Amino acid sequence: MNGKSNTKRPVVDFHCDVLCKMQLNPQVDFSHSSLDVTKERLLEGDVQLQTFAIYISQVLGRPRMEHVVRQIELFRQHVVSPLGGLRALLWREDLQEQGSPTKKLTYLEGNEVDQTHSPWALLSLEGADALEGNPFYAELCYAMGIRLIGLTWNYANWAADGIMEQRGGGLTNKGHELVKRCNELGLLLDVSHLSVRGFWEVLEEATLPPIASHSNAFAVCSHPRNLRDDQIRALIACDGRIGLTFVTMFIQEQGTVSAEDLLPHIEHICALGGARHMMFGSDFDGIERHVQGLEHPGKYREFAELLLKHYPEELVKGWLGGNALCYLQANLPSRMSS
């Protein structure tokens, strides 16, 4: 295998921070050279589905719901529009119908375009801070197209403690209410960034399998943001998913990091029984220092060839996209029930 194969293996990437960059710099659009993730690079890397996280930068001050709405506007204007060319993924039926050769794409503005091979775009919320302590704002998020919510970023907010909060608390009373509301709506829950105690409380209370959208194995690299073995086993047991991330400090503690350095994390999760529960959540556009060989999504095809040197085709296809797609087909809300 040499990285120049023309074989296409669909990729799903469960985390990027494009929308935050757009919000902070009005000059940046979805084709801007400063972005890791662009449509061109998604197509180059065979990315079939990219999750776009809504992360409210501390530069903006206290997070507010209007910040969330602004990023959704940017998503609609620049990403899931005729200009951006991606399709908004909202319902499980969307994935089931994607093979239809005559299907037209309906963008959020209502425009229909014949472009059946464009990637999907899924909206997530990274941290509930901007919901302003109001769990019922989760319903507004759902109505505007968000399908995945993480309760915290690294620190404490009104809903829970993040993993870097020293006291290590779990969910607040309002946090428990938020989880209940997400359960009622069918909003999926993301445990990346949560405190350890919060992780276990979400797993106990969630009615749909949670995911860790962008976390690696703590046993391989002992960064606090990585998952302990018992957490990995718990996500496997509930049929959740683990998105290995390309943040270098989560891969190894120091030194230059290459794509090969992700292999010990893959090996470890497989050893725990997670071969069918692994996917990728790159954190592109939230990365300060890139992995050599994984600088942007256009590199996924070469990464696939690297994986195929060590693992069988069936497993590699699952990690690149199949495991994530199976999860979404099973757990996204149905258009018929909404």
Side-chain angles (χ1 to χ4, degrees):
M1 307 276 180
N2 55 26
K4 297 184 179 181
S5 168
N6 290 321
T7 302
K8 292 187 176 182
R9 299 174 183 87
V11 173
V12 174
D13 187 320
F14 244 86
H15 193 87
C16 79
D17 284 318
V18 166
L19 300 178
C20 180
K21 281 190 173 180
M22 288 184 180
Q23 186 174 36
L24 295 177
N25 187 349
Q27 305 304 315
V28 172
D29 61 25
F30 191 45
S31 63
H32 200 274
S33 60
S34 66
L35 294 177
D36 298 334
V37 176
T38 63
K39 183 185 178 183
E40 181 181 6
R41 285 174 168 174
L42 294 175
L43 293 174
E44 181 185 352
D46 302 326
V47 179
Q48 181 176 350
L49 190 159
Q50 176 68 60
T51 297
F52 290 80
I54 296 172
Y55 169 69
I56 310 304
S57 171
Q58 295 171 314
V59 172
L60 297 173
R62 183 175 64 85
R64 300 188 301 275
M65 189 63 194
E66 66 185 77
H67 295 139
V68 174
V69 173
R70 177 55 183 152
Q71 289 199 27
I72 293 174
E73 289 176 350
L74 291 169
F75 179 74
R76 292 179 173 184
Q77 292 167 3
H78 294 279
V79 179
V80 290
S81 65
L83 180 64
L86 272 62
R87 300 175 279 178
L89 178 59
L90 298 173
W91 315 108
R92 68 179 64 173
E93 289 88 354
D94 293 335
L95 293 174
Q96 294 164 357
E97 296 167 1
Q98 67 178 337
S100 171
T102 59
K103 183 177 175 61
K104 290 187 176 182
L105 312 185
T106 302
Y107 295 95
L108 292 185
E109 289 81 358
N111 300 308
E112 288 190 346
V113 179
D114 278 314
Q115 194 177 356
T116 56
H117 300 294
S118 289
W120 292 105
L122 180 71
L123 267 180
S124 69
L125 178 63
E126 185 176 21
D129 308 56
L131 302 188
E132 302 182 49
N134 185 350
F136 289 96
Y137 272 151
E139 187 167 348
L140 181 58
C141 288
Y142 179 86
M144 292 189 295
I146 291 172
R147 291 294 179 262
L148 176 68
I149 288 184
L151 272 62
T152 69
W153 188 58
N154 282 338
Y155 302 103
N157 62 22
W158 62 269
D161 275 10
I163 191 62
M164 305 303 285
E165 195 69 37
Q166 290 186 359
R167 66 183 174 183
L171 275 59
T172 65
N173 289 341
K174 283 191 174 182
H176 288 289
E177 188 179 346
L178 176 59
V179 170
K180 180 181 179 182
R181 192 69 183 136
C182 289
N183 288 339
E184 293 168 350
L185 291 165
L187 272 167
L188 301 169
L189 291 164
D190 184 355
V191 295
S192 284
H193 287 289
L194 259 179
S195 67
V196 173
R197 180 175 172 184
F199 172 96
W200 291 111
E201 290 178 347
V202 166
L203 255 70
E204 182 178 349
E205 297 179 22
T207 56
L208 293 171
I211 68 163
S213 64
H214 56 307
S215 298
N216 293 341
F218 185 85
V220 177
C221 177
S222 58
H223 191 285
R225 272 275 287 104
N226 285 339
L227 298 169
R228 283 68 174 171
D229 284 0
D230 57 348
Q231 295 176 305
I232 293 171
R233 290 191 184 98
L235 287 169
I236 293 168
C238 72
D239 203 25
R241 295 293 185 271
I242 301 155
L244 294 185
T245 188
F246 305 160
V247 180
T248 57
M249 68 183 73
F250 300 170
I251 298 172
Q252 65 182 37
E253 295 178 10
Q254 57 187 359
T256 301
V257 179
S258 67
E260 288 86 348
D261 294 316
L262 274 162
L263 300 183
H265 292 272
I266 292 172
E267 284 286 338
H268 187 75
I269 293 174
C270 285
L272 295 174
R276 307 292 179 184
H277 301 82
M278 212 176 338
M279 57 185 188
F280 293 105
S282 65
D283 209 356
F284 284 135
D285 288 296
I287 297 174
E288 296 180 3
R289 187 163 61 97
H290 289 82
V291 174
Q292 290 186 352
L294 282 169
E295 293 85 1
H296 57 74
K299 299 288 187 175
Y300 264 118
R301 190 177 292 190
E302 294 177 20
F303 185 48
E305 297 300 330
L306 168 65
L307 294 174
L308 287 166
K309 292 179 181 178
H310 302 275
Y311 305 102
E313 175 99 13
E314 181 186 6
L315 286 180
V316 172
K317 284 184 174 180
W319 301 337
L320 291 172
N323 294 343
L325 290 173
C326 286
Y327 173 86
L328 291 170
Q329 287 168 340
N331 295 299
L332 275 177
S334 170
R335 184 186 291 113
M336 304 299 294
S337 61
S338 297

